[in-house]
Amino acid sequence: MAQFRALSPFAKMPTLVDTTTGETLYESTIVIEHLDRLAGAGRLIPAEPGAALEARLVDRMVDTYAGGPMNRIIPRKFRPAGHEDPFGDAQDAEILAGAWDWLEARLADGRTWGAGETFTLADCGAAPILTYARRLVPFGDRPRLRAWHQRLMARPSFVRALEDAAPFGDLMPAPPAED
């Protein structure tokens, strides 16, 4: 852990060490933007300004209103008996449900991916958060959100990421989603 904290000040993932440039990057959006730049730019962050803003908006909304509550609920599950926070858990579950509602409404225009017809930064950041946060607050009756998540789950890159993460799946203190 000490070695990891030396790389990532808050000991959070993802953390990327680019051995070519000597840069250490953390936080999903920054890592994705770095990789997009290396790939020639314009692949994950659209070149068109409006599309780029939509990709960043969906990314920020998912990270803040789904990832934020998830990252508060999970550590509370590891607290010793007598130190639980049911009120905080309920508040965060409500915020997560609101994020699901916002995404369901955003997807109502028929878009294929989180920010439109092109796979973007929004999808890269959303895939892991949606996968794990829905274990805490299921998607429920949100068919567009469920369909987007299914498309994300079918992407070969995410399939591989899930396979790589499988040995650590039992560390998530919530049962697999049933919806």
Side-chain angles (χ1 to χ4, degrees):
M1 185 54 80
Q3 186 179 10
F4 185 51
R5 281 192 189 279
L7 296 172
S8 178
F10 298 102
K12 298 286 183 179
M13 294 193 293
T15 297
L16 174 74
V17 178
D18 185 331
T19 56
T20 304
T21 65
E23 293 175 281
T24 300
L25 305 157
Y26 37 87
E27 290 301 321
S28 299
T29 302
I30 302 305
V31 169
I32 293 165
E33 289 208 30
H34 177 74
L35 295 173
D36 188 58
R37 188 181 69 216
L38 292 177
R43 294 189 166 111
L44 296 174
I45 301 165
E48 195 277 309
L53 282 176
E54 181 67 12
R56 285 188 174 98
L57 172 64
V58 173
D59 172 69
R60 298 302 355 141
M61 295 297 284
V62 168
D63 198 41
T64 302
Y65 299 104
M70 179 183 72
N71 288 331
R72 288 187 298 271
I73 294 170
I74 292 170
R76 288 195 297 251
K77 292 192 177 290
F78 291 104
R79 289 181 178 177
H83 296 278
E84 298 87 358
D85 183 6
F87 182 75
D89 286 348
Q91 283 183 312
D92 283 328
E94 189 175 321
I95 293 168
L96 254 171
W100 296 162
D101 290 341
W102 186 87
L103 287 165
E104 181 71 14
R106 202 72 178 186
L107 295 163
D109 63 4
R111 62 182 69 182
T112 301
W113 298 107
E117 291 309 304
T118 305
F119 186 87
T120 67
L121 159 80
D123 304 290
C124 293
I129 292 173
L130 295 178
T131 300
Y132 293 108
R134 72 186 282 236
R135 293 171 74 170
L136 302 169
V137 176
F139 290 155
D141 186 26
R142 297 176 183 94
R144 293 178 200 95
L145 177 58
R146 186 176 289 110
W148 176 39
H149 185 250
Q150 288 171 345
R151 287 188 292 277
L152 291 168
M153 296 283 291
R155 289 209 39 114
S157 57
F158 194 55
V159 169
R160 180 172 172 226
L162 286 174
E163 288 169 355
D164 289 348
F168 309 100
D170 290 339
L171 297 175
M172 174 67 165
E178 294 182 15
D179 64 348

